[in-house]
Amino acid sequence: MVKAVAVITISDTCFKDNTKDTAGPALADFVKELFPEANLHTIIIPDEKEIIERELKYFCETNLDLVLTTGGTGLTPRDVTPEATKAVIQREVPGITIAVTLASLKKTPMAQLSRSVAGIRDKTLIVNFPGSKKAVTECFEVVKPILPHAISLIHNEVAEISYIHNSMQFNHTCTHSSNVDVSKVALRPRESPFPMLEMAEAWKHVDDVMSEWKERLKIVTIEEGLGKVVAQTLYAKEPMPPFPASVKDGYACLSIDGAGVRRVRIAVTAGDAPTAPLCAGECARVNTGAALPAGADCVVQVEDTRLVSASEDGQTELEVEILKAPEPQQDVRSVGFDIPMGTVLVDKGQILDSAKIGILAGAGYQNVTVRAPPKVALLSTGNELQEPSEVKLKPAHIRDSNRTMLRVLLKEHGYDSIDCGIARDTPPEIVAGIAAALKLADVLVCTGGVSMGEKDLLKPVLLKDFNATLHYGRVRMKPGKPSTFATCEFEGKKKYIFALPGNPVSAYVCALLFVIRALRVSCGVRGAWPRMRVRLAHAAQLDPRPEYARASLTMSPDGDMPSATMLGSQCSSRLLSACGANVLLELPAATDSQQRLPAGAVVTALITGRLDIAS
Ligand SMILES: Nc1nc2c(c(=O)[nH]1)N[C@H]1C(S)=C(S)[C@@H](COP(=O)(O)OP(=O)(O)OC[C@H]3O[C@@H](n4cnc5c(N)ncnc54)[C@H](O)[C@@H]3O)O[C@H]1N2
Ligand code: MOO
Ligand SMILES: [Mg+2]
């Protein structure tokens, strides 16, 4: 799908006077018609090679699918668009310009004088067009039929679709081999060979490794930016309100007139254009949000007035009495009262939420540059798993809940994911599943197969078939003990693999504690979940491992700490214990002297969910 396109008008003349630009708007209209869903960016820049290069690179870095330029392709010394484009592209697509030239030559021999270039930088297709409305109209007709397909090819979308398709049918199509020998089950280790790391050490590995992730940028609509980290500082281009506005329904007056009777000269409701200035002794009936007439410097709410006279039909107020002398600026929002012009609305590094998006909408911003997180792929492993859509369960089978839960959990925190289906528990099929996922994504989150059974093959496959480095293979935590984090090089790129335990609650807790943290760190957001002290509503049995218990908080009416209620049995298979949870309680490991915590004990809680969720 084509998500974002830029049309750049390159012309000294249009740069000085944008009303002269007819080719750019025409091209923009063609783009809107061909790609109605796409975000469209239009700019006008002068015929300066450096500026053209800079803008082309910017749009490529922000992952635009297509950049069309118009202008600067001819023979005059200022025509430098082809040189700038050549300096930016990595691969030329001469067929596009040949087709355009051939078609144009049929109309005019002048087509011989266009030096347009087409090519690709990273995932962006750039095409130069000449600089007149007539020329862009003719040229666009030529390239229109191939643009969607060219963009899909650049994105490798066809390949992606077939990979996802394959990944869902590993058991039918697998042709991969593995170096993992599963024939000698009797010789498997009877103790885990992986050292058990403390939680703090595991987090440090995640932070250190993921902070290597290079900043990548993306332009999205402000709404798509929800939950994303902003990569630019956005300022108020206008004051808010842009006019002096009434805070109340009442009468705009001159404060110098004091209390007493006023002639109601006019009514101004919100949206009405300003009128002639008020004179002494006059007032204007105004509504909340209405623009004050010039001359007025205060508003008296209707409750503080008395009707003195009205037209006989009752339709017009003629005079009112202001009962109490108003102060200057009383109930007036002056220009820029809420947001002075130039205010930083959203700063680089902040995460977009609904209020910030609302402010940006109000300030006229449609798009925002955000940090692009790594692409995430999800893969489940297990012979016992069926697709969630399957109505009938086979004997000893269960439906895969992890993939759906993880997809939604990631979405909740602003991250998309690619579904790579289910891999069966054999080394070649796990290799196939991991390879398919790593082709599509930077981060693989898989579940199952990380513990001690003969079908727990993830770690050996990662080590022997992907030559992976295991940053940790066990963590002292409950649930999630066999949680694994590895990196490897795949097709020349570094990949990050979170192999989470298959138990649904273990997968849920490890996704919250490791995966979301990793994605945040890769976007420059430091720090984990906010922590607060809470009081246990009941006694809690302690485990030999530090435990992350799912609980819900209730605010105490007496202003004491919130009270935490654990959500039933904390068994790693019981996802019901996470339903309605908004915190993970950090219960300490049991010691010889402390096996349980009494009701009322104070523990820390990681706030992982919305605090308004009732249990
Ligand atoms: N001898 C030992 N056995 C186990 C140990 C141990 O230290 N020694 N650790 C236990 C702990 S702790 C955990 S956690 C689990 C981890 O299991 P695996 O990661 O190997 O996962 P599986 O064996 O594949 O499955 C475990 C469990 O989860 C269910 N499952 C798996 N995938 C899904 C899915 N996508 N959706 C829903 N449910 C899923 C699976 O059916 C199993 O019931 O190992 C303990 N064993
Ligand atoms: O660590 Mo496991 O995740 O207890 O069940
Ligand atoms: Mg297992």
Side-chain angles (χ1 to χ4, degrees), residues 8 10 45 48-62 64 67 69 80-93 117-128:
I8 310 182
I10 300 169
I45 56 175
E48 291 290 344
K49 185 164 175 275
E50 241 175 58
I51 297 178
I52 304 169
E53 275 185 47
R54 191 190 65 206
E55 292 304 320
L56 288 176
K57 280 186 189 154
Y58 170 76
F59 283 125
C60 296
E61 275 160 22
T62 47
L64 260 69
V67 177
T69 70
V80 289
T81 303
E83 284 68 32
T85 308
K86 277 189 186 151
V88 167
I89 57 174
Q90 296 147 338
R91 293 186 291 156
E92 197 166 351
V93 190
V117 170
I120 301 161
R121 182 184 175 91
D122 298 331
K123 298 246 165 175
T124 307
L125 176 64
I126 305 173
V127 184
N128 299 154

Side-chain angles (χ1 to χ4, degrees), residues 448-453 455-456:
V450 287
S451 193
M452 294 292 289
K455 294 288 184 194
D456 291 337

Side-chain angles (χ1 to χ4, degrees), residues 166-369:
N166 281 345
S167 74
M168 302 233 173
Q169 311 173 19
F170 287 128
N171 45 352
H172 306 305
T173 58
C174 179
T175 51
H176 286 71
S177 61
S178 167
N179 299 317
V180 176
D181 178 7
V182 287
S183 60
K184 300 189 181 94
V185 65
L187 301 183
R188 74 187 157 131
R190 304 195 86 75
E191 286 289 337
S192 171
F194 303 101
M196 178 110 72
L197 265 61
E198 297 302 328
M199 200 59 187
E201 296 172 273
W203 275 335
K204 184 163 183 330
H205 280 289
V206 171
D207 291 355
D208 288 350
V209 171
M210 294 313 295
S211 50
E212 294 165 359
W213 178 255
K214 202 173 134 278
E215 183 173 81
R216 285 170 214 195
L217 305 177
K218 200 171 159 190
I219 298 178
V220 294
T221 64
I222 54 172
E223 283 189 43
E224 284 167 347
L226 181 63
K228 305 244 163 26
V229 178
V230 179
Q232 61 184 141
T233 303
L234 298 172
Y235 299 90
K237 294 177 279 189
E238 304 151 342
M240 181 66 190
F243 50 83
S246 174
V247 175
K248 293 279 178 65
D249 301 313
Y251 298 88
C253 311
L254 281 65
S255 59
I256 202 162
D257 286 348
V261 176
R262 304 279 208 291
R263 183 168 83 83
V264 184
R265 206 193 72 203
I266 192 167
V268 187
T269 59
D272 290 346
T275 60
L278 287 186
C279 300
E282 290 181 340
C283 70
R285 191 171 69 241
V286 289
N287 287 349
T288 307
L292 253 64
D297 69 343
C298 63
V299 170
V300 178
Q301 62 175 3
V302 66
E303 294 89 330
D304 295 338
T305 66
R306 184 178 71 83
L307 181 68
V308 175
S309 63
S311 62
E312 272 183 20
D313 58 8
Q315 288 183 2
T316 314
E317 293 175 330
L318 297 175
E319 289 171 311
V320 291
E321 184 183 351
I322 304 300
L323 299 176
K324 199 176 145 217
E327 297 290 329
Q329 295 306 310
Q330 171 179 308
D331 281 338
V332 176
R333 282 156 67 222
S334 54
V335 171
F337 175 88
D338 298 323
I339 306 174
M341 190 157 88
T343 304
V344 172
L345 300 176
V346 176
D347 210 352
K348 207 171 164 176
Q350 290 183 334
I351 297 177
L352 280 184
D353 60 17
S354 53
K356 292 194 182 97
I357 292 172
I359 284 184
L360 292 180
Y365 284 98
Q366 281 149 37
N367 299 301
V368 57
T369 306

